Structure formats: C-alpha cells, structure tokens
Amino acid sequence: TPGDMTTNSGGTFNAGSTVVVAANTFTNAGNLFPGGIGRIGTTTITGGFAQTASGVLGVDVNSLESPASDKLIVNGQARLAGTIVPLASALLPGSLPVINATSLSSTMQVSNGIAIGLTPSVSDNTLYVTPQPTFRPAWLPISPSQNSLTHHLDRAWSNSDRSLAPTFGYLSQLSTGSQYIQVLQALAPQAHTVQLQNLLTTTPFSLGASIDCPADLSTKVLQLDSSCVWVRGAGTWANHSARDGDPG
C-alpha cells in the first residue's frame, strides 16, 4: 500500500518515470532529480508533493532538445519551497515548464549564475523558469574588449543563436565574478590559447549582426568589432600596356 515518502536532507533521489504515494505525500528535503541526473526526463507523482526549505530540485536543461528540460508532474497538491538548481548543457531564450500540479503553491527560489539567471513564475498551476541574461553586471569591472564581447553575446542571445547554446549553458553555471572574467578573457582575442574545457564547438559561427567580424571557434579566436575595419572602395580602373616606341 502506498504511504508517505521522504528524501531526507542531504539525501539524493534520482526519480524514475513514476512515483506513487496515492493519498499520501512525497516530501523532498534533500536532492530530487526528475528523470535522473544528467538526462532530460519527466517524473509523474501520483499523490501529493512537498518540497521543504532545505530541498533542492535539480533540473537538467538542453534547449537544443525537445522537451528542453526535466519536468515534474504532480497528480495532486504541490507545496513548493527550497531551491531549483538548473543544470544547463545548452541554453536559449524561452520559458521552461518544470513543475505542473493539480494545485500548486510556491515560494521556490532559483540558484542563479552570474551571467545568466533564471526567474521562477507560476501560471495555471505550472511553475516556469525563464532565463534572463546579464552579460554586463553593473558591479563587475570589465575591460573595453570584454565589454565589446558582451555586446556580441547580447546579440547572439536575442537571435537565439543555436550554435552558442552550449556557451550560454556554460555561462549559466558560473557562480562568481572571477569565473566570468576568466571566460571573457578566454573568448577575447588576446587570450585565444586558453582552453575552455570543451566549452566551445569547433565550427565557425555568426553572432547574428548584419556585419560582424569573422569568428572561428576552431582557433578559439573571436574578433571584436573594435579590431575590424570595414572599407568600401570607390573609383575607376584602367588597363595600360606598352610596346617598343610606345610607352603606353
């Protein structure tokens, strides 16, 4: 007979496709990963679900897949507190539905990165998280070349540049300003030899501007606007020839 179920603080539950507690409640005070950690999946809970203040809901995100994130479906009442921790391998704009319930109340917070945070919201008994980039944090001093690079990132984000989705996923995991500065340095031309632990792909990409400097991630070099000069030529041309006794 199904009964109450609890993941204690500090414990981890890699949920499968179904959890049945019937008229009882599954309480998460530890770490819960719908579908299991490291892969996108859906877990359906038949019965009630409660996450306490110490509870953590780990949500895998890959915006290049469909569905783009883990999802928890509760066929019953959901009372939500604690934290959502997004684990993004690839990220693009758009709201992600992560919890749906018959009835839902939430005070959940999201563990956010420095450059890209995710904001929780509730609509029609569904909890969504929506990524919001801040590529130029006001409190973080950055160099002119790094500032130029953040404008490239802004344009790529606005254009939902799929080739940069893994980069955006990586940026969403950065938790300190020093980590973010290191990544900006590695992406900038003067630090192109820095390896980003396979952060970047090996194919050329466009950042979506009508005229951008060329970029080739196989060399880990991103040419900034300030390092390119665009020239339009104008004028006429003529052919000249010469022969004996005629200088042309």
Side-chain angles (χ1 to χ4, degrees), residues 68-108:
S69 70
D70 288 337
K71 189 172 186 180
L72 189 66
I73 298 174
V74 182
N75 293 325
Q77 183 182 28
R79 302 187 307 275
L80 308 174
T83 306
I84 297 174
V85 176
L87 307 169
S89 59
L91 189 62
L92 290 172
S95 296
L96 304 168
V98 295
I99 303 175
N100 175 262
T102 304
S103 64
L104 183 151
S105 61
S106 175
T107 60
M108 273 184 150

Coordinates of all heavy atoms in Angstrom, one line a residue, residues 68-108:
A68 N 12.9 20.6 -23.6 CA 14.1 21.2 -23.3 C 14.6 21.1 -21.9 O 15.7 21.5 -21.5 CB 14.1 22.7 -23.7
S69 N 13.7 20.6 -21.0 CA 14.1 20.5 -19.6 C 13.3 19.3 -18.9 O 12.3 18.8 -19.5 CB 13.7 21.8 -18.9 OG 12.3 22.0 -18.8
D70 N 13.9 18.9 -17.8 CA 13.1 18.0 -16.9 C 11.8 18.6 -16.5 O 11.6 19.8 -16.5 CB 13.9 17.7 -15.6 CG 15.2 16.9 -15.8 OD1 15.2 16.1 -16.8 OD2 16.1 17.0 -15.0
K71 N 10.8 17.7 -16.2 CA 9.5 18.1 -15.7 C 9.0 17.2 -14.7 O 9.2 16.0 -14.8 CB 8.6 18.2 -16.9 CG 7.2 18.9 -16.6 CD 6.4 19.1 -17.8 CE 5.1 19.9 -17.5 NZ 4.3 20.1 -18.7
L72 N 8.4 17.8 -13.6 CA 7.8 17.1 -12.6 C 6.3 17.3 -12.7 O 5.8 18.4 -12.6 CB 8.3 17.6 -11.2 CG 7.9 16.8 -10.0 CD1 8.5 15.4 -10.0 CD2 8.4 17.5 -8.7
I73 N 5.5 16.2 -12.8 CA 4.1 16.3 -12.9 C 3.5 15.7 -11.6 O 3.8 14.6 -11.3 CB 3.5 15.5 -14.1 CG1 4.1 16.2 -15.4 CG2 2.0 15.5 -14.2 CD1 3.7 15.4 -16.7
V74 N 2.7 16.5 -10.9 CA 2.1 16.1 -9.7 C 0.6 15.9 -9.8 O -0.1 16.9 -10.0 CB 2.4 17.1 -8.5 CG1 1.8 16.6 -7.2 CG2 3.9 17.3 -8.4
N75 N 0.1 14.7 -9.8 CA -1.3 14.5 -9.8 C -1.9 14.6 -8.4 O -2.3 13.6 -7.8 CB -1.6 13.1 -10.4 CG -1.3 13.0 -11.9 OD1 -1.4 14.0 -12.6 ND2 -0.8 11.8 -12.3
G76 N -1.9 15.8 -7.9 CA -2.3 16.1 -6.6 C -1.8 17.5 -6.2 O -1.5 18.3 -7.1
Q77 N -1.7 17.8 -4.9 CA -1.3 19.1 -4.5 C 0.2 19.2 -4.4 O 0.8 18.3 -3.9 CB -1.9 19.4 -3.1 CG -1.6 20.8 -2.6 CD -2.2 21.1 -1.2 OE1 -2.4 20.1 -0.4 NE2 -2.5 22.3 -0.9
A78 N 0.8 20.3 -4.8 CA 2.2 20.6 -4.7 C 2.4 21.8 -3.9 O 1.9 22.9 -4.2 CB 2.8 20.8 -6.1
R79 N 3.2 21.6 -2.8 CA 3.6 22.7 -1.9 C 5.1 22.9 -2.0 O 5.8 22.0 -1.6 CB 3.1 22.5 -0.5 CG 1.6 22.3 -0.3 CD 1.2 22.2 1.1 NE 2.0 21.2 1.9 CZ 1.7 19.9 2.0 NH1 0.7 19.4 1.3 NH2 2.4 19.1 2.7
L80 N 5.5 24.0 -2.6 CA 6.9 24.1 -3.0 C 7.7 25.2 -2.3 O 7.2 26.3 -2.2 CB 7.0 24.4 -4.5 CG 6.1 23.5 -5.4 CD1 6.2 24.0 -6.9 CD2 6.7 22.0 -5.3
A81 N 8.8 24.8 -1.7 CA 9.7 25.7 -1.1 C 11.1 25.3 -1.5 O 11.3 24.5 -2.4 CB 9.6 25.7 0.4
G82 N 12.2 25.8 -0.9 CA 13.5 25.4 -1.2 C 14.0 26.0 -2.5 O 13.6 27.2 -2.9
T83 N 14.8 25.3 -3.3 CA 15.6 25.8 -4.4 C 15.5 25.0 -5.6 O 15.4 23.7 -5.5 CB 17.1 25.9 -4.0 OG1 17.2 26.7 -2.8 CG2 17.9 26.6 -5.1
I84 N 15.4 25.6 -6.8 CA 15.6 24.9 -8.1 C 17.0 25.2 -8.5 O 17.5 26.3 -8.5 CB 14.6 25.5 -9.1 CG1 13.2 25.2 -8.7 CG2 14.9 24.8 -10.5 CD1 12.2 25.8 -9.6
V85 N 17.7 24.1 -8.9 CA 19.1 24.3 -9.4 C 19.1 23.8 -10.9 O 19.0 22.6 -11.2 CB 20.1 23.5 -8.6 CG1 21.5 23.5 -9.2 CG2 20.2 23.9 -7.2
P86 N 19.2 24.8 -11.8 CA 19.2 24.4 -13.2 C 20.6 23.9 -13.6 O 21.6 24.4 -13.2 CB 19.0 25.7 -14.0 CG 18.5 26.7 -12.9 CD 19.1 26.2 -11.6
L87 N 20.6 22.8 -14.3 CA 21.8 22.1 -14.8 C 21.8 22.2 -16.3 O 21.4 21.2 -17.0 CB 21.9 20.7 -14.3 CG 21.8 20.6 -12.8 CD1 21.6 19.1 -12.4 CD2 23.0 21.2 -12.1
A88 N 22.3 23.3 -16.9 CA 22.1 23.5 -18.3 C 23.3 23.2 -19.1 O 24.4 23.7 -18.9 CB 21.7 25.0 -18.6
S89 N 23.1 22.2 -20.1 CA 24.2 21.9 -21.0 C 24.1 22.8 -22.3 O 25.1 22.9 -23.0 CB 24.1 20.4 -21.4 OG 22.9 20.1 -22.0
A90 N 22.9 23.3 -22.5 CA 22.7 24.2 -23.6 C 21.5 25.1 -23.3 O 20.5 24.5 -22.8 CB 22.5 23.5 -25.0
L91 N 21.6 26.4 -23.5 CA 20.5 27.3 -23.1 C 20.2 28.3 -24.1 O 21.2 28.9 -24.7 CB 20.9 27.9 -21.8 CG 19.9 28.7 -21.0 CD1 18.7 27.9 -20.6 CD2 20.5 29.4 -19.8
L92 N 18.9 28.6 -24.3 CA 18.5 29.6 -25.2 C 17.3 30.3 -24.6 O 16.7 29.9 -23.6 CB 18.1 29.0 -26.6 CG 19.2 28.5 -27.5 CD1 18.6 27.8 -28.7 CD2 20.1 29.6 -27.9
P93 N 16.8 31.5 -25.2 CA 15.7 32.2 -24.6 C 14.4 31.3 -24.6 O 14.3 30.5 -25.5 CB 15.5 33.4 -25.5 CG 16.9 33.6 -26.1 CD 17.5 32.3 -26.3
G94 N 13.5 31.6 -23.6 CA 12.3 30.9 -23.6 C 12.0 30.3 -22.2 O 12.9 29.9 -21.5
S95 N 10.7 30.4 -21.8 CA 10.3 29.8 -20.5 C 10.3 28.3 -20.5 O 9.8 27.7 -21.5 CB 8.9 30.4 -20.1 OG 9.0 31.8 -19.9
L96 N 10.6 27.7 -19.4 CA 10.7 26.2 -19.3 C 9.7 25.8 -18.2 O 9.9 26.2 -17.1 CB 12.1 25.8 -19.0 CG 13.2 26.3 -19.9 CD1 14.6 26.0 -19.3 CD2 13.1 25.5 -21.3
P97 N 8.7 25.0 -18.6 CA 7.8 24.4 -17.6 C 8.5 23.3 -16.8 O 8.8 22.3 -17.4 CB 6.6 24.0 -18.4 CG 7.2 23.6 -19.7 CD 8.4 24.5 -20.0
V98 N 8.7 23.4 -15.5 CA 9.4 22.4 -14.8 C 8.5 21.7 -13.8 O 8.8 20.5 -13.4 CB 10.6 23.0 -14.1 CG1 11.6 23.5 -15.1 CG2 10.3 24.1 -13.1
I99 N 7.4 22.3 -13.3 CA 6.5 21.6 -12.4 C 5.1 21.9 -12.8 O 4.7 23.1 -13.0 CB 6.7 22.0 -10.9 CG1 8.2 21.7 -10.5 CG2 5.8 21.2 -10.0 CD1 8.5 22.2 -9.1
N100 N 4.3 20.9 -12.9 CA 2.8 21.0 -13.1 C 2.1 20.2 -12.1 O 2.5 19.1 -11.8 CB 2.4 20.6 -14.6 CG 0.9 20.6 -14.8 OD1 0.3 19.6 -14.7 ND2 0.4 21.8 -15.1
A101 N 1.0 20.8 -11.5 CA 0.3 20.0 -10.5 C -1.2 20.3 -10.6 O -1.6 21.3 -11.2 CB 0.8 20.5 -9.1
T102 N -2.0 19.5 -9.9 CA -3.4 19.8 -9.8 C -3.7 21.1 -9.1 O -4.5 21.9 -9.6 CB -4.1 18.6 -9.1 OG1 -3.8 17.4 -9.8 CG2 -5.6 18.8 -9.1
S103 N -3.0 21.3 -8.0 CA -3.0 22.6 -7.4 C -1.5 22.9 -6.9 O -0.8 21.9 -6.6 CB -3.9 22.7 -6.2 OG -3.6 21.8 -5.2
L104 N -1.1 24.2 -6.9 CA 0.3 24.4 -6.7 C 0.4 25.8 -6.0 O -0.2 26.8 -6.3 CB 1.0 24.5 -8.0 CG 2.5 24.7 -8.1 CD1 3.1 24.0 -9.3 CD2 2.9 26.2 -8.1
S105 N 1.3 25.7 -4.9 CA 1.7 27.0 -4.3 C 3.2 26.9 -4.1 O 3.8 25.8 -3.9 CB 1.0 27.1 -2.9 OG 1.4 26.0 -2.0
S106 N 3.9 28.1 -4.3 CA 5.3 28.0 -4.4 C 6.0 29.3 -3.8 O 5.5 30.4 -4.0 CB 5.8 27.9 -5.8 OG 7.2 28.0 -5.9
T107 N 7.0 29.1 -3.0 CA 8.0 30.1 -2.6 C 9.4 29.7 -3.1 O 10.4 30.3 -2.6 CB 8.0 30.3 -1.1 OG1 8.4 29.1 -0.5 CG2 6.6 30.7 -0.6
M108 N 9.5 28.9 -4.1 CA 10.7 28.4 -4.6 C 11.6 29.5 -5.1 O 11.1 30.5 -5.8 CB 10.5 27.4 -5.7 CG 10.4 25.9 -5.2 SD 10.3 24.8 -6.6 CE 11.0 23.3 -5.9

